[in-house]
């Protein structure tokens, strides 16, 4: 899987935000918009995140799809590790000997330490916008109709929505098999990787 630097939101996409009126409720202050977004990423809550994001329909749709996928990945990981343990989970990131499937890193939750560090950041004014400087980019917060929103094109999301829709469906399907008779941790890992490989999207 192509890594998405969720903890640093490092990769900027070549999409241009529009000035179309937002349908999201927005936030009363720039800092509130930023913190709501960071909280939403940490909790993998697309509704909360999209409440403070403005951009084109395709940008908004992709962000919703990715965060929904992140939630599915978190749910899968939580159940998988509860049943089989952390050591088995870490094998997702390795090749499976004899299985013919490569290593595959599932989207991961923001570490608590990173979440706390990001939460402490304060937006700084820059002209009519506010910015939050990340390690490899600048998150922009703009005002629309008296409310504050993060610009979708500054949040570091990129990729194809179809990839994350497929990944979400596969994870939800195989999550139901965790801990059931006839399935081993290795068997589940191989099945997930093979299912994704067959789609041609990964």
């Amino acid at each position: 899987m192509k890594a998405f630097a969720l903890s640093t939101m490092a990769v900027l996409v070549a999409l241009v935000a529009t000035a179309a009126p937002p349908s999201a409720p927005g936030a009363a202050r720039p800092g509130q918009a930023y913190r709501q977004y960071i909280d939403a990423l940490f909790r993998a809550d697309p509704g909360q995140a999209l409440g403070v994001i403005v951009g084109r329909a395709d940008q908004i749709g992709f962000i919703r799809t990715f965060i929904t996928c992140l939630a599915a990945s978190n749910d899968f990981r939580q159940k998988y590790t509860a049943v089989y343990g952390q050591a088995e989970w870490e094998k997702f990131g390795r090749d499976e000997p004899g299985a013919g499937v490569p290593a595959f890193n599932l989207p991961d939750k923001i570490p608590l330490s990173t979440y706390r560090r990001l939460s402490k950041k304060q937006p700084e004014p820059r002209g009519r916008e506010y910015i939050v400087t990340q390690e490899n980019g600048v998150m922009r917060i703009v005002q629309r109709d008296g409310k504050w929103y993060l610009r979708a094109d500054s949040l570091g999301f990129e990729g194809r929505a179809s990839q994350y829709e497929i990944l979400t469906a596969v994870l939800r399907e195989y999550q139901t098999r965790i801990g059931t008779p006839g399935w081993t941790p290795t068997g589940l890992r191989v099945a997930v990787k093979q299912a994704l490989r067959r789609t041609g999207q990964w």
Side-chain angles (χ1 to χ4, degrees):
M1 174 181 158
K2 294 179 181 178
F4 178 83
L6 188 60
S7 63
T8 61
M9 288 161 275
V11 183
L12 297 179
V13 293
L15 299 172
V16 180
T18 68
S23 57
R29 293 188 292 275
Q32 288 178 339
Y34 172 71
R35 283 188 293 275
Q36 180 173 326
Y37 173 69
I38 296 301
D39 288 348
L41 279 187
F42 183 69
R43 294 175 174 81
D45 183 340
Q48 183 181 0
L50 295 177
V52 289
I53 296 176
V54 65
R56 292 198 317 255
D58 62 324
Q59 296 170 322
I60 298 299
F62 181 82
I63 293 172
R64 179 187 291 109
T65 298
F66 180 85
I67 298 178
T68 298
C69 180
L70 179 61
S73 181
N74 289 343
D75 291 342
F76 184 92
R77 182 183 68 253
Q78 184 175 0
K79 186 174 180 181
Y80 189 95
T81 55
V83 175
Y84 303 124
Q86 181 66 26
E88 289 294 334
W89 169 260
E90 291 173 359
K91 293 179 183 178
F92 262 105
R94 306 175 196 166
D95 294 338
E96 300 289 347
V101 288
F104 185 86
N105 294 314
L106 295 172
D108 205 356
K109 184 174 184 177
I110 299 177
L112 182 59
S113 59
T114 301
Y115 164 73
R116 288 172 173 164
R117 175 175 56 81
L118 293 173
S119 296
K120 291 178 181 178
K121 286 180 173 285
Q122 295 293 327
E124 301 174 359
R126 178 176 290 182
R128 295 183 178 182
E129 297 181 341
Y130 279 75
I131 65 167
V132 179
T133 303
Q134 304 296 330
E135 291 178 9
N136 293 296
V138 176
M139 185 182 298
R140 300 186 179 280
I141 306 172
V142 297
Q143 192 174 41
R144 300 279 191 274
D145 300 329
K147 297 288 187 177
W148 292 93
Y149 303 85
L150 286 78
R151 280 178 38 173
D153 65 335
S154 70
L155 300 182
F157 287 91
E158 68 171 8
R160 298 191 303 274
S162 59
Q163 286 183 305
Y164 295 103
E165 289 167 352
I166 289 169
L167 178 54
T168 298
V170 168
L171 290 176
R172 286 177 174 166
E173 176 186 354
Y174 283 95
Q175 182 177 345
T176 64
R177 304 177 189 182
I178 295 172
T180 60
W183 285 95
T184 65
T186 299
L188 270 168
R189 286 196 310 273
V190 170
V192 168
K193 294 176 183 181
Q194 289 177 335
L196 292 172
R197 193 175 188 183
R198 285 194 297 270
T199 68
Q201 293 286 322
W202 294 93

